Amino acid sequence: MSSSTWINNLSCSSPVVQSSGDTSIPLIFQWLRFIFLSPCPQRALLASVDLLFLLVLLGLAAQKLHSRFTSSGHSGSDINKPLNGNGNSRAHIITSIWFKLSSIVPVLLALCYIVVSVLDFSQKSQLPHWKVLDGVFWLVHAITHLVIAIVIIHEKRFQAVTHPLSLRIYWVANFVLVSLSMSSGIIRLATLEHNLLFDDIVSAIAFTLSSCSFFRCH
């Protein structure tokens, strides 16, 4: 196996690094290369970050609900007040172009991932086993970005002055992983291997949209 074909390997169960012939590269780096740059483990890594983010949000939401119930009957509690201290919840809230962009980007990403997921599931009988799993990964991405859009709308309601720390950390991690995914696509294109051309196009779109969120989170 040539040193360039490992990146096009579709295996999810075991890395191809052990038979790649790259004896000059330490085994640990071959494993890291497989995990971060090969298609199937990339999707699993991205989905794992999404699931971790959703679990964190779920924990924060449960904590907030608990605080709301324990503070019921105390009208002066901060939990019932807008973040800017304005008691008029019906006031017209003016949002900047950056806020509008922050709310539009996750919706666009969610729609993109939903389309790709549906396409993968509709061709289930014609796809290799890992591509069926890939459809699940795309669906996780879609759900995550729909939740992000809801969180941002929630920020507008309570007139938040900044995005939650958990969301900003997620944007950074997601941008790094999407950048790796796009880089892998460029390598595949450079080696004239088009096994995942459609997925690489999706990664390029995700990279472009995720860049907006990444630079906004600073």
Side-chain angles (χ1 to χ4, degrees):
M1 182 179 295
S2 67
S3 60
S4 62
T5 55
W6 61 269
I7 198 171
N8 298 297
N9 186 274
L10 307 184
S11 173
C12 284
S13 57
S14 60
V16 65
V17 296
Q18 294 179 348
S19 59
S20 64
D22 293 342
T23 56
S24 60
I25 302 177
L27 185 60
I28 180 63
F29 291 112
Q30 294 185 41
W31 272 94
L32 290 174
R33 183 178 68 175
F34 173 80
I35 293 171
F36 287 100
L37 294 179
S38 292
C40 187
Q42 269 187 348
R43 294 265 68 84
L45 190 60
L46 278 166
S48 298
V49 171
D50 287 351
L51 290 174
L52 178 61
F53 172 69
L54 292 176
L55 286 175
V56 170
L57 284 187
L58 184 61
L60 292 175
Q63 182 182 29
K64 187 171 183 179
L65 285 175
H66 179 266
S67 299
R68 183 179 294 274
F69 285 129
T70 56
S71 63
S72 60
H74 301 283
S75 58
S77 175
D78 290 340
I79 196 71
N80 298 316
K81 295 181 180 180
L83 295 183
N84 66 354
N86 185 357
N88 185 7
S89 60
R90 297 176 179 269
H92 178 66
I93 302 172
I94 299 176
T95 56
S96 66
I97 184 63
W98 283 111
F99 182 89
K100 292 182 175 67
L101 192 61
S102 297
S103 58
I104 292 174
V105 165
V107 173
L108 293 177
L109 283 170
L111 290 175
C112 178
Y113 291 142
I114 288 173
V115 170
V116 179
S117 178
V118 170
L119 289 175
D120 278 348
F121 283 124
S122 64
Q123 305 174 45
K124 184 163 74 168
S125 60
Q126 307 171 12
L127 293 174
H129 177 68
W130 87 273
K131 285 294 291 179
V132 177
L133 292 177
D134 201 35
V136 176
F137 297 153
W138 291 122
L139 184 59
V140 171
H141 300 331
I143 293 173
T144 300
H145 284 87
L146 285 176
V147 170
I148 290 174
I150 295 173
V151 169
I152 294 176
I153 293 173
H154 191 72
E155 291 175 12
K156 178 179 178 181
R157 176 186 173 189
F158 288 95
Q159 305 177 38
V161 296
T162 185
H163 296 296
L165 178 61
S166 57
L167 179 55
R168 285 179 282 149
I169 293 175
Y170 170 80
W171 275 337
V172 173
N174 180 73
F175 178 77
V176 171
L177 293 177
V178 169
S179 298
L180 286 174
S181 181
M182 192 189 71
S183 300
S184 301
I186 293 175
I187 296 173
R188 281 188 286 273
L189 185 62
T191 58
L192 301 180
E193 296 284 350
H194 302 304
N195 295 358
L196 303 174
L197 183 59
F198 180 70
D199 287 14
D200 294 337
I201 293 175
V202 175
S203 295
I205 296 173
F207 172 80
T208 303
L209 294 175
S210 297
S211 299
C212 300
S213 300
F214 172 74
F215 290 111
R216 176 65 182 114
C217 74
H218 294 316

